[in-house]
Amino acid sequence: MNNHFSLLARILLFIAIATTTVCAQDAMFTLGSVTAKRGERVAGHLEIPAGVDEGTRLPFTIFHGAKPGPTLLLVAGVHGSEYAPIIALQRLLSQLNASKLSGTVILVHSANPPSFFKRTIYYSPVDGKNLNRSFPGKADGTLTERIAHTILTQLIPRADYVIDVHCGDGNEDLIPYLALYTHATTPERIAHVKDLALRFGIEHIKVISGRSADPNNSVYLTNAAQLAGKYVMAVECGGLARADEVSVTTITTGLQNVMRRLRMLPGQTTPIKNPVYVDRDETIRTPEAGIFYPLVARGQIVKKDALLGYVTNLHGQKVHEARAPFAGKVMFIVKTPPVSAGEPLVSIGSLQP
Ligand SMILES: [Zn+2]
């Protein structure tokens, strides 16, 4: 029995190594209905057919490198009015070259086309749901749930590394930061992602530990990828419905730095000199709809209980004051007047000493 088991184990190990080797050297990379050969760039769509509501399709580009290497999935536009990441991925189209790449890069240009084309913040115009609160999604759910399900079942499994690129939404002014996740993983894997984050070029790094470890309640795209065993990072850079040059360049440079560090691109990277770690953050929400008057700026250091802004009703009466729950830095703050009950006003990050 032992001998048989050991023989079986050896055969399984051989198959595992052989499969990995074959996968790593796959001449072809197929996604949806398109296939890229080594050294080739192809474009396609992932179709999400109509179900209980209308359908959509997710536009993507694959750069299938001339040489083998890891597969990196880059997602933009989970929130449709977050333009800096979407424009950054457009710019990567002319900056990447499959013939010089090792490994494979999948760019998802707009993970939420209905939100992009209807210019909505937070929520889909089709079903009113927030895609980045809808994972793992449902094959037979509403459109946002079907998009989440498609990302989870058709995109994330193809990748070794997943980077979900966000910014402040169309109403939010935000300081750039990266997020990495310390649950459902190992110290070695955390160290690897942290090393990549330090090479990105953004000094604030948020370390998130409290996410659900239940794949049936993963909620966020990054968490769904983390629980699927991928190396995961979130980027937040830009905001206020702008695609400003500094934010776009920070994102394109950072993503290519990650590729360099992973030896997918030639060239060296240097870690950022003075990283600032954010180990806790809290978003203050408004209990009532109205007009928000911000009193602090993004990046500002505030004391505990500092008045960060206030909400009035449309008759001009103050209905809510936003105060800092603890001393820290303003990570983002709403900078356009309308706010609805339950929505974010401002987020404070606590800096590691
Ligand atoms: Zn977002």
Side-chain angles (χ1 to χ4, degrees):
M1 190 69 187
N2 272 343
N3 278 343
H4 280 134
F5 179 77
S6 131
L7 180 61
L8 181 63
R10 273 190 238 171
I11 291 170
L12 287 175
L13 182 65
F14 173 76
I15 291 170
I17 291 170
T19 311
T20 310
T21 310
V22 168
C23 285
Q25 296 175 348
D26 261 357
M28 305 286 192
F29 192 99
T30 299
L31 184 60
S33 61
V34 298
T35 297
K37 294 183 201 139
R38 283 232 163 274
E40 199 174 59
R41 158 188 168 173
V42 301
H45 290 93
L46 280 179
E47 298 291 339
I48 298 169
V52 295
D53 48 22
E54 67 190 66
T56 189
R57 50 191 206 157
L58 309 185
F60 66 81
T61 303
I62 301 164
F63 288 83
H64 191 38
K67 293 182 211 146
T71 298
L72 171 63
L73 170 64
L74 305 176
V75 183
V78 162
H79 294 127
S81 292
E82 296 180 358
Y83 299 140
I86 293 169
I87 300 306
L89 263 56
Q90 291 296 309
R91 198 170 289 179
L92 281 179
L93 288 173
S94 57
Q95 292 177 337
L96 296 178
N97 183 340
S99 68
K100 293 181 179 155
L101 185 73
S102 301
T104 306
V105 180
I106 307 168
L107 306 175
V108 177
H109 298 294
S110 172
N112 198 346
S115 173
F116 178 69
F117 289 115
K118 295 288 185 188
R119 304 181 187 90
T120 59
I121 62 164
Y122 303 146
Y123 316 113
S124 166
V126 176
D127 58 16
K129 290 181 179 159
N130 183 335
L131 176 55
N132 209 24
R133 303 291 183 276
S134 298
F135 281 80
K138 281 185 210 158
D140 59 354
T142 64
L143 179 57
T144 300
E145 291 167 334
R146 299 201 306 283
I147 293 175
H149 177 78
T150 301
I151 292 171
L152 180 60
T153 56
Q154 294 191 48
L155 287 166
I156 289 173
R158 307 301 304 280
D160 305 300
Y161 296 83
V162 176
I163 303 183
D164 191 18
V165 194
H166 289 250
C167 62
D169 218 320
N171 55 335
E172 294 169 345
D173 200 9
L174 169 143
I175 60 163
Y177 65 88
L178 306 172
L180 53 90
Y181 308 88
T182 58
H183 66 296
T185 186
T186 63
E188 293 75 23
R189 293 175 71 91
I190 295 168
H192 179 50
V193 177
K194 197 169 172 183
D195 173 66
L196 296 176
L198 290 171
R199 314 266 163 178
F200 196 99
I202 286 178
E203 69 177 5
H204 287 80
I205 299 174
K206 195 155 109 178
V207 181
I208 296 176
S209 58
R211 293 268 156 96
S212 161
D214 177 5
N216 295 317
N217 183 35
S218 47
V219 183
Y220 304 91
L221 187 157
T222 46
N223 195 32
Q226 179 91 352
L227 299 181
K230 308 302 177 182
Y231 293 101
V232 177
M233 195 191 303
V235 177
E236 294 276 359
C237 183
L240 285 175
R242 294 162 61 217
D244 61 292
E245 186 57 32
V246 170
S247 300
V248 171
T249 305
T250 301
I251 295 169
T252 55
T253 305
L255 292 174
Q256 287 175 93
N257 280 342
V258 168
M259 293 177 215
R260 287 185 192 102
R261 187 63 175 163
L262 294 174
R263 302 195 184 288
M264 299 176 75
L265 292 178
Q268 299 295 314
T269 60
T270 47
I272 199 144
K273 281 203 178 68
N274 298 306
V276 179
Y277 290 101
V278 178
D279 57 1
R280 178 163 70 122
D281 69 312
E282 190 168 322
T283 298
I284 297 113
R285 295 168 184 275
T286 178
E288 288 190 42
I291 295 173
F292 181 54
Y293 293 89
L295 296 174
V296 291
R298 67 171 190 162
Q300 193 171 327
I301 299 286
V302 296
K303 292 182 176 160
K304 181 173 165 33
D305 296 326
L307 185 60
L308 307 172
Y310 60 91
V311 179
T312 70
N313 62 25
L314 290 177
H315 295 113
Q317 296 157 320
K318 194 187 274 188
V319 293
H320 180 65
E321 284 187 346
R323 291 189 178 271
F326 43 77
K329 187 173 269 199
V330 178
M331 304 298 289
F332 72 78
I333 184 158
V334 165
K335 278 289 183 70
T336 57
V339 287
S340 297
E343 283 184 350
L345 299 173
V346 51
S347 181
I348 302 297
S350 163
L351 309 183
Q352 266 179 22

